[in-house]
Every structure is written in structure tokens, then in C-alpha cells.
Amino acid sequence: MKDTMGIILAENADIRLNELTDIRSVAALPFAGRYRLIDFILSNMVNSGIINVGITTLFNYSSLMDHVGNGNAWDLNRKTYGLFFLPPYIRGGNAAGLSGGNVDMLYSILTHLRRSPQTYVLIAGGNLVFNMTFEDLLSFHRDTDADLTVVYHRLNDNPEQLRRTTVYEINAEGRVTGIEHNPMNPKSNFSGMDIYIVERTRLIAMIEEAHAKGKHDFIKDMLLANIDSLNISAYEFKGFVGRVDSIKSYYDNSMLMLNENIRRELFGGENLIYTKVKDQVPTRFGENAGVSDSLIADGCRIDGTVENSIIFRGVSIGKGSVVRNSIIMQNSVINENCDLENVVIDKECTLRSTKRLIGQPNYPVILPKRTMI
Amino acid sequence: MISTDCVAMILAGGQGSRLGVLTTTVAKPAVPFGGKYRIIDFALSNCAHSGIDTVGVLTQYQPLELNTYIGSGNPWDLNRNSGGIYVLPPYQKAESGEWYKGTANAIYQNIEFIDKFSPKYVLILSGDHIYKMNYDNMIKYHEQKGADATIAVIEVPWEEASRFGIMTADENGHIVEFAEKPAEPKSNLASMGVYVFSWPVLKRYLTMDERDPQSSNDFGKNIIPSMLNNSEALYAYGFEGYWKDVGTVQSLWEANMDIIADPPVFEIDDSSWRIFSRNPVKPPHYAAKGAKISNSAITEGCEIYGTVKHSILFEGVTVGRGAIVEDSILFPGAVIGENCTISKTIIGNDTVISNSCTIGDKSIGEDQFKSKYCSADISLIGGGLVISEGTKIGVNAMVKESI
């Protein structure tokens, strides 16, 4: 897919996970013990052979920049193309892109789009957990002669989340006939994955037109408004899709990583999910460590008990402490005899000994980054 | 330090035949160590942390794995515009071509390579030692003393001194005597095989040594004694800390166990001196319901359903339900079937132990797999093998083929 360039819209103004995204873009959210959400789409693009990847950002992008660096971990430190970090672009006092609308975001990177020679552009968000390559999508897009192809999956078991997505009506030929954005009563369960493939020159024309008319939203103003004149195809992805768009979905999708089949699908196949290397030592377990149904990354020191939890790199859990149904992010320290249940502890927190934090299964307690209790 | 001040040359061509089946297809420096490293990572990481950015790695025996592992040198920050890492196998020259005959000859054959950088000093390292050492301090010491050669030494127990090259030095560190594996050692300062030479001096000695047909072209046996005879300025640089030559199955096993001792005998979890390695692309390790893990080091990509005690598991190892792994080292991708009992055993890469096997069983004692390479009840199973269901293997065993 050398003829396709990738654009990752790392910021989504609609998605907020309170304390967890106050300090970082949603795409930079730590996930599954050693990844950040952006690793999935970035690896998927690289595994598809895309070697020109741009990442657009808006606010709080320093943790994202720090994470992707020069793109080396994804093999994107290339002489030609490679990784492009595209922060908001302010021209002549006109802060294009700062409004947060995705049309504005795309408008602010027009120069990058014009300068890239690839025929197609693959646009995607940064908040999905999935393992997919895009070669089939591109052939499907070509074969159906579509102006633009959207990727969707069937979201059967989460009506609440379905109402937060773009829902498509699709006819027998696979053409999109209706689009609903965040519908109260969705007409189908064909939930958009915010992934689009389109010819680059057409995309540029669409963006210029929308911008000239003062429009901001890709779905409402560019797709829905032109649904009769555009030939929009829909491509179904049948694998696992974890959409992180709320604290609950972050927590639930994290816990799904304890499911062997899902873990195998995401991490066990040919197409690997890459992330920044930290050179941590192997995790050490002490004499009285207890661990059950948990994912534990490198560089941890486990002397207590861990059950049904996700433990990130460099975490230490002291003697007599019990951690259940929880997510503990990088370099946090849980001292001795603490009792934690249903909590999400952000990076670099410290819990002194004998602290007790109990959240509800559907409402985990969140400890913001660098909290000390 | 300016990069071209010093070029490091790592001797990584040795077979390490005493490691038995672990080195049949890889050179000793490429043997896995400590849960996510290769032995050579220690010398390379020491270089990276000491500010040495021009490194030659001399390979000869089974170099493929090592070449692939080193790659561009990126994991050790050695992918530089100037300098960087170079893999140096022996090569054919216009008039002749030959294998590296000895440690000194390996450097002799690469004089042109070193000359390209016009360094003041050359640091000679061995690719098969486990230690953390700041070479920059040693180079500074070499400068201060105005030495021609500086040899790093470590105090060893007197009773073991006769296994090492032993230095006798005066109170200024000036070396007055050197004896290779002396029957009656006069000192307990053992050479660590880490040398700093002033390049012009070393070049002269290498050239002289090459002309001597009687020489075995070895640093310890030839170069150092002949420099000493000619009263060159040789100094001993005392090193305090952990240092281990992992030349035998037993010493390799012990050095691994030193990492998981509580407190560790050798601490690798040191954020100021990380050991770099080529990291696997694997998810965090998964411990299932019913898993029991204690006193162990576990790496990413492992899936543990059984019991792991006092062991080291490299990336992507699976331990099945009901299995017990104790005092063992499982190399990357090893699979331990259900209800196996593995005791004091090193298992090679991607080897599959089928269900209900017993390996390293003391009640069996030594059996037909007994090997001269194995001691202290440690057993060794080679890489890429399949051990069929219900197999029982005793202690001090070495298995080379699937059974």
C-alpha cells in the first residue's frame, strides 16, 4: 500500500475521559500494560505497508510526541516519507484547526496533503483497539468505484455506545444510503469506525469546499450533506473492535485484554502491535507474591497479590497489598498492605502503606497522574 | 569524551564449547541471559553508558545470529553518523586470508579498521562477561597514570585464584608480574579480560607478535607478558562490583540465579545503567487463574497457567496447567506442557516439552543423558526440540535431539 498515505486524527474533541485525558490526547492513553491507544492504528497502517503517516493533534500533545518520537519503533524513521507530526497550524492569525472540528484539522494540513504524492489517503482516529490491515479495504474501494469508502463493524452488544457513534444504513450493493451521527434510535447496528479511504485529490477538493463554506464537521458537513451526490461505499471489519470513548469503555476494554481469544487476535498473529521500547528489566515476583488472571508488563516488582488486573511497566506492589479488578499505570508505587478494587491509577502515583480505595465495577475510582496518598 | 579518543573492540568469536548444546548454533555472546538479554548486551550497554560510540565486534564462530541481533546497533544507541557499531568477521585479503588465530591476531587483522578512526586508545573487551562497568573511568585512570596498557582486575577468592590470569601490582597500581593460571598465585587480583591500550603501542606489539611463529597470538599469553618483559608501563585498574565469566553451564546458571536472589546478588534493575537489548514485540505476560509465581523473573509475552518458583522465563514462554517449574531458565518461546515437573534445567529456544514430562529429576539421578558439560545437578535441553509426552530425564543431563 505504498500508494496510500495515512492520516491519524489523534485528537477528538468529542471524547473526554476526565482526569485521564485532561493531560493527554485520547490517542496517548496508556492501554493493556505497555501500549498507548495510537499504537494500534499506527501498527495497523505500518503492517499494511503504508510508509507515509501523519498525526494531527490539537491540545496536550507532548505525551503523544514523546511516545511516537521519530517513529523508529514502528519502522517509520524513513529517509523518504516516514512519520510526520502535524501540530495545529496557525497561518496569518487565522488559527485554522484550533476549533477542533475535523474539517479544520484537515484544512490545517492541506500543505502536507498536497505535497504527498500518494494516490489515496486513509484517515483514521486514534481511539480504537483493533488489529486490521487495509489492503482488502483499498481493493474494495477501487472495485466499487466509490468516491469514498467508510469502515464499519456490527456493534451488537452495546446500545449505549452505538448511540455515540456514526451509524450507517447500507444497501445490498454495499453503498451507504443513510448516515446518522450519534443517533438516539439507531436504524442499524452498522457502527462507523471513523476510518475512511479516499483519493487524495478528491479529499483536497472536499476539504477546500467545506472550508470555503465555513463547515467544520467531516461527517455532518462533508458526508451527510452530500450523501446523494457522493458514491460512498461501506466496508465491514469483522474482527475485534474496542472503542475507547468513555471511562467505562476504557475500563471494560482493558479488562477484555484478559480474554485469551481477544489477546491472541490482537497480539498473537503475524501483524504485531508495536510500541515505544523502554528497556525495562523482567518483572520480579517476591516470595509471597500472588497473581491470578492478570496482565503484567516488564519492570514490575510484585510482592503482594494481583487479581484480574492490568499492571503497566515499572509498577511495584508491596507485601500484603491486594489489587483486584484494577488498572495500574506505569511507574506507580503501591506500598505495603494496601487494598485496591475497581480503581484506575494513572502514571507515577504513590500509595503509602495501608491505603484503601474501592470503586464500583461500573464506576471505577480514578487517581490522576502523580497523585500521592 | 570525544568519540574518536577510544575505539572498543569486543571479542565475540569464541564458540564457548563448554556451554554444550547452547552454543551449537550460536556464538557464546549471543546466548540468552537474565530473562531478556544476550550475554553481549552487557559489554554493549557498558560501552553506551561510558560514552564509547565506536565499537567493533569481532565474530568468527556461528556469527549469523549475532549479526542479526546486533543489526544497526540501534538498541544500544550505536547507530551513529560517525562511528557506531561494526561487525568484523575475518576476511580475504589480496595476498592471503585466514581465520582469527587468537585474540591478539583478531585485533591485528583489523589494524586498518582501527586506524581509520585514529584513536588514542583501544579498549579490548570480551563478549562473554556479565558485569556493569564504566569504562570511561578506566580510560581516565589510564591517562592519569600515563600507562601504555591498563588491565582491569578484580579480587577473587584466594582458593579460586589459580583459575585466572593473576596480576601482581605495587602500591601505585604498577604491574610487576603477571601469571596465567598460576599453581601458586602471588596475588588474588584476577584479570577481567578488559584492557585499555594506547593504540600506537598496541599496534607495535601486535605487529611484533604476528612475526613470531611460536606465538599463540593471545593477549593473556603473549601480548601482556611481552610488554611486561620490555618494561612498558602496565597498570592494574581495580574494579569492585559484580563480574562473572559465564563460560560453563554451571556458571551461566548461577549468574542467572544471582539476578533473582533476594536481595539480588547482581542488580540489573538500575535506571542509571540500564542494560539495553533488542526488545521483543510482545504483550505483557499473562498469569492465569491458578498460576503461582514466586522468586522469579518473567518477561513479556509469557503465558503462565502453572507454578513457577525461583526461575527465569524469557519472552513468549508458556507454562501449562499443573506444571511446576523450579530453579530453571526457560529461553524464548519454550513451551512446558501440562503437569510437567522441570527442576534446575535450562531449556533452549522454542523447545516444546509435551505433557507430563519430568526433567532434572533427582530421584532418577544421572541417566543416559549425563553430560560432561553439566554439573551441580543442572540439566540442559537444546533449542528447537520436541520432548514427547511422559519422558523422564535425570540430573546433569544434556539432550541434543528430540525424544
Side-chain angles (χ1 to χ4, degrees):
Chain A
M1 283 184 79
K2 285 198 173 140
D3 210 18
T4 303
M5 64 186 288
I7 295 291
I8 299 173
L9 305 171
E11 189 70 43
N12 187 329
D14 295 339
I15 300 177
R16 285 280 148 241
L17 282 75
N18 304 347
E19 298 91 334
L20 297 180
T21 52
D22 283 350
I23 49 157
R24 53 171 85 89
S25 333
V26 63
L29 256 179
F31 191 79
R34 70 191 289 262
Y35 304 93
R36 296 198 187 236
L37 288 179
I38 198 168
D39 293 340
F40 293 91
I41 182 63
L42 207 46
S43 302
N44 288 342
M45 285 186 174
V46 168
N47 290 336
S48 307
I50 296 174
I51 54 167
N52 177 355
V53 178
I55 301 175
T56 73
T57 59
L58 197 54
F59 308 115
N60 300 327
Y61 49 80
S62 74
S63 59
L64 195 61
M65 259 178 105
D66 178 49
H67 179 69
V68 296
N70 63 1
N72 181 44
W74 298 267
D75 210 8
L76 283 174
N77 59 339
R78 304 290 185 96
K79 210 156 216 181
T80 33
Y81 316 124
L83 188 80
F84 296 88
F85 211 84
L86 307 164
Y89 177 57
I90 299 170
R91 54 165 88 172
N94 169 17
L98 286 179
S99 76
N102 38 24
V103 168
D104 308 81
M105 201 105 88
L106 289 168
Y107 185 77
S108 77
I109 62 161
L110 267 185
T111 317
H112 175 69
L113 288 171
R114 287 205 186 96
R115 206 165 42 196
S116 298
Q118 282 80 9
T119 311
Y120 300 97
V121 186
L122 182 76
I123 304 170
N127 67 327
L128 293 191
V129 176
F130 68 130
N131 190 326
M132 175 186 183
T133 51
F134 302 113
E135 289 99 333
D136 279 354
L137 167 67
L138 178 60
S139 338
F140 177 85
H141 174 73
R142 281 193 189 124
D143 293 349
T144 52
D145 246 341
D147 295 316
L148 180 138
T149 299
V150 302
V151 182
Y152 71 96
H153 73 123
R154 288 171 204 252
L155 184 51
N156 296 321
D157 49 359
N158 196 340
E160 197 188 315
Q161 188 170 57
L162 185 62
R163 285 196 284 270
R164 293 196 299 266
T165 69
T166 303
V167 174
Y168 295 104
E169 284 173 80
I170 300 164
N171 71 12
E173 285 83 54
R175 192 177 157 178
V176 173
T177 56
I179 301 174
E180 300 175 294
H181 191 53
N182 301 349
M184 273 311 292
N185 300 297
K187 293 194 179 115
S188 80
N189 63 349
F190 301 147
S191 172
M193 290 167 63
D194 306 327
I195 299 173
Y196 313 94
I197 194 161
V198 54
E199 261 187 57
R200 186 175 55 90
T201 47
R202 173 167 285 274
L203 178 69
I204 291 170
M206 287 168 79
I207 296 166
E208 282 177 326
E209 193 196 329
H211 183 76
K213 290 182 179 167
K215 306 292 188 188
H216 302 289
D217 192 82
F218 189 77
I219 313 243
K220 279 185 274 187
D221 301 329
M222 278 165 71
L223 302 190
L224 192 51
N226 299 311
I227 191 159
D228 297 323
S229 57
L230 280 178
N231 178 5
I232 305 175
S233 282
Y235 176 90
E236 184 181 0
F237 175 64
K238 291 184 173 145
F240 172 81
V241 178
R243 179 192 297 269
V244 176
D245 58 358
S246 65
I247 291 199
K248 183 168 183 337
S249 62
Y250 172 74
Y251 179 81
D252 291 347
N253 278 306
S254 294
M255 291 305 162
L256 280 178
M257 297 304 112
L258 299 176
N259 177 305
E260 185 174 317
N261 294 331
I262 293 174
R263 209 167 55 242
R264 293 255 153 87
E265 179 186 329
L266 289 174
F267 306 110
E270 251 173 76
N271 293 308
L272 303 174
I273 304 298
Y274 299 90
T275 190
K276 185 181 174 184
V277 165
K278 302 262 186 196
D279 287 294
Q280 298 268 14
V281 297
T283 280
R284 267 187 262 176
F285 288 85
E287 177 79 39
N288 299 309
V291 58
S292 164
D293 200 18
S294 296
L295 271 184
I296 301 176
D298 276 359
C300 297
R301 170 79 211 195
I302 313 286
D303 287 307
T305 299
V306 180
E307 286 173 19
N308 197 39
S309 294
I310 314 278
I311 310 294
F312 282 71
R313 294 188 272 203
V315 165
S316 78
I317 294 175
K319 277 187 191 132
S321 282
V322 179
V323 176
R324 282 197 193 94
N325 309 330
S326 295
I327 298 166
I328 302 185
M329 294 187 201
Q330 203 178 306
N331 293 335
S332 281
V333 177
I334 314 297
N335 283 303
E336 295 175 7
N337 302 314
C338 290
D339 192 1
L340 309 181
E341 195 166 333
N342 301 317
V343 297
V344 177
I345 294 184
D346 208 324
K347 292 168 70 176
E348 293 159 29
C349 288
T350 304
L351 262 68
R352 296 210 183 86
S353 53
T354 66
K355 295 292 174 283
R356 192 158 182 268
L357 277 179
I358 311 287
Q360 296 302 311
N362 57 353
Y363 203 89
V365 171
I366 305 220
L367 224 52
K369 190 171 171 182
R370 290 202 196 94
T371 305
M372 191 178 281
I373 299 184
Chain B
M1 198 174 66
I2 302 160
S3 64
T4 47
D5 264 7
C6 182
V7 172
M9 300 292 275
I10 302 181
L11 300 162
Q15 178 182 357
S17 58
R18 288 175 299 159
L19 290 179
V21 72
L22 295 179
T23 53
T24 41
T25 57
V26 299
K28 182 156 81 160
V31 168
F33 182 86
K36 65 187 291 187
Y37 309 99
R38 308 288 187 122
I39 294 171
I40 198 172
D41 284 332
F42 291 85
L44 290 174
S45 302
N46 288 345
C47 284
H49 291 303
S50 305
I52 292 168
D53 57 15
T54 306
V55 178
V57 180
L58 299 140
T59 62
Q60 176 154 292
Y61 174 80
Q62 289 284 11
L64 184 61
E65 177 97 9
L66 197 55
N67 292 353
T68 316
Y69 185 71
I70 290 170
S72 67
N74 175 47
W76 307 272
D77 236 350
L78 286 168
N79 54 339
R80 300 300 182 91
N81 283 340
S82 62
I85 197 160
Y86 299 81
V87 175
L88 304 167
Y91 59 94
Q92 198 74 36
K93 295 147 197 93
E95 53 303 354
S96 68
E98 56 188 350
W99 296 106
Y100 294 148
K101 289 179 287 180
T103 51
N105 175 258
I107 305 297
Y108 172 82
Q109 291 201 37
N110 287 287
I111 284 178
E112 271 178 59
F113 166 78
I114 298 170
D115 268 341
K116 271 205 304 186
F117 302 96
S118 326
K120 282 194 213 157
Y121 312 111
V122 171
L123 175 68
I124 307 289
L125 302 170
S126 162
D128 45 16
H129 294 159
I130 305 294
Y131 63 123
K132 296 187 291 188
M133 179 175 181
N134 191 334
Y135 304 131
D136 195 29
N137 292 344
M138 181 173 171
I139 293 162
K140 285 196 183 111
Y141 174 91
H142 179 87
E143 276 176 339
Q144 275 165 17
K145 293 287 179 190
D148 295 312
T150 301
I151 301 166
V153 295
I154 186 164
E155 277 188 41
V156 294
W158 279 96
E159 61 273 18
E160 288 178 28
S162 55
R163 286 173 36 215
F164 295 93
I166 294 295
M167 306 284 162
T168 312
D170 67 17
E171 64 276 17
N172 293 321
H174 190 260
I175 295 172
V176 291
E177 200 182 325
F178 169 76
E180 185 75 32
K181 296 182 182 156
E184 284 171 29
K186 289 187 186 158
S187 128
N188 66 339
L189 292 179
S191 165
M192 296 163 61
V194 174
Y195 310 97
V196 175
F197 291 99
S198 296
W199 176 231
V201 180
L202 178 62
K203 203 164 122 179
R204 189 150 46 81
Y205 275 88
L206 289 175
T207 313
M208 263 170 11
D209 180 64
E210 190 60 22
R211 283 199 220 109
D212 175 5
Q214 304 301 316
S215 172
S216 42
N217 308 115
D218 184 90
F219 277 100
K221 286 186 202 130
N222 309 101
I223 302 289
I224 301 297
S226 106
M227 287 180 83
L228 207 54
N229 281 342
N230 293 340
S231 308
E232 305 285 359
L234 265 62
Y235 283 84
Y237 175 76
F239 173 76
E240 282 169 19
Y242 184 91
W243 175 83
K244 193 133 185 157
D245 179 348
V246 286
T248 63
V249 173
Q250 189 178 337
S251 63
L252 180 70
W253 182 86
E254 285 167 356
N256 272 286
M257 294 302 140
D258 285 345
I259 285 173
I260 53 171
D262 199 11
V265 178
F266 180 48
E267 180 60 271
I268 50 170
D269 190 4
D270 178 353
S271 58
S272 68
W273 204 272
R274 276 189 206 285
I275 306 305
F276 301 131
S277 66
R278 207 166 269 285
N279 278 229
V281 182
K282 296 263 166 70
H285 74 259
Y286 176 71
K289 211 170 252 176
K292 287 198 185 85
I293 310 172
S294 59
N295 297 325
S296 295
I298 317 275
T299 319
E300 286 162 344
C302 291
E303 305 246 319
I304 297 154
Y305 297 87
T307 300
V308 179
K309 288 190 257 183
H310 194 241
S311 294
I312 293 184
L313 274 57
F314 283 76
E315 78 251 21
V317 164
T318 304
V319 176
R321 268 173 232 290
I324 298 171
V325 175
E326 203 173 356
D327 304 323
S328 294
I329 303 164
L330 311 185
F331 282 4
V335 177
I336 309 299
E338 295 179 8
N339 303 314
C340 289
T341 303
I342 313 290
S343 315
K344 231 179 171 183
T345 299
I346 303 176
I347 296 184
N349 295 45
D350 301 316
T351 284
V352 176
I353 312 289
S354 308
N355 294 347
S356 309
C357 288
T358 306
I359 298 175
D361 190 344
K362 271 191 186 161
S363 67
I364 297 176
E366 291 181 344
D367 54 18
Q368 78 266 32
F369 299 108
K370 177 187 158 36
S371 163
K372 63 174 175 180
Y373 299 118
C374 297
S375 54
D377 289 351
I378 301 161
S379 289
L380 203 55
I381 312 289
L385 307 185
V386 177
I387 307 298
S388 55
E389 193 166 340
T391 304
K392 297 201 184 310
I393 296 169
V395 299
N396 294 332
M398 183 166 88
V399 178
K400 288 183 266 190
E401 286 161 348
S402 294
I403 41 173

